[in-house]
Amino acid sequence: MLDTIGVDTDRPGRARRVYYRVVYAIVTVAIVGLLAGMVVGRELIGTIIYCAGVWLGSGIAFLAPRLTDVPLQDERDTELYNRASGLTLGVLFIGGLSIIPVIYVLEAAGSIETPPEVTGAILLASGLFLVWGVAYGVVKRR
């Protein structure tokens, strides 16, 4: 279906480049829209632009590979995603193991008072690892 929108099916490399450029361009416009809205004091409009762009870009990224016969990802892309994901989680894991216990010990000793943003970041990182663990378990069982 999407391979008829001007993408040459004989050249999957070109289709892949067009796909990535479209998705990244939409997400870039969304981020710039959010930042511009914040700068000019129109946060709501910026947020609407951001949400619309991110949902559109994510929708294309999710649906395009399923609606076309042209391969939009290959083994190299999968390997890069896996390595980047592993590196990101590794950095967060090492950073969390190094910093979070120190924060709790200093707070228990009365040396610091943890701001709500730090508590939120700790909960966010914990949730990320929980979601990753569940996703890993689901993928492993399939």
Side-chain angles (χ1 to χ4, degrees):
M1 181 173 162
L2 288 179
D3 54 346
T4 61
I5 306 178
V7 176
D8 188 4
T9 58
D10 295 333
R11 300 186 54 203
R14 183 178 188 293
R16 192 177 1 255
R17 284 191 304 274
V18 169
Y19 162 72
Y20 281 113
R21 285 180 182 162
V22 167
V23 170
Y24 289 142
I26 290 170
V27 173
T28 300
V29 168
I31 293 169
V32 169
L34 175 64
L35 295 175
M38 292 170 66
V39 167
V40 298
R42 303 283 188 197
E43 291 85 3
L44 180 60
I45 294 173
T47 302
I48 291 170
I49 292 170
Y50 176 79
C51 288
V54 169
W55 278 99
L56 179 64
S58 298
I60 291 172
F62 179 76
L63 291 175
R66 289 159 178 77
L67 298 177
T68 183
D69 296 332
V70 178
L72 298 177
Q73 294 180 345
D74 58 10
E75 301 84 24
R76 184 183 50 157
D77 293 324
T78 302
E79 177 64 26
L80 288 172
Y81 292 144
N82 289 339
R83 287 176 47 203
S85 297
L87 180 61
T88 301
L89 289 174
V91 167
L92 288 174
F93 184 72
I94 297 295
L97 285 179
S98 302
I99 296 170
I100 293 172
V102 173
I103 290 171
Y104 287 138
V105 167
L106 289 174
E107 186 178 43
S111 298
I112 64 168
E113 187 173 325
T114 308
E117 294 83 8
V118 172
T119 303
I122 291 170
L123 292 174
L124 179 67
S126 300
L128 173 69
F129 280 104
L130 288 173
V131 169
W132 183 87
V134 169
Y136 182 82
V138 167
V139 169
K140 187 176 179 180
R141 289 188 186 266
R142 286 189 180 185

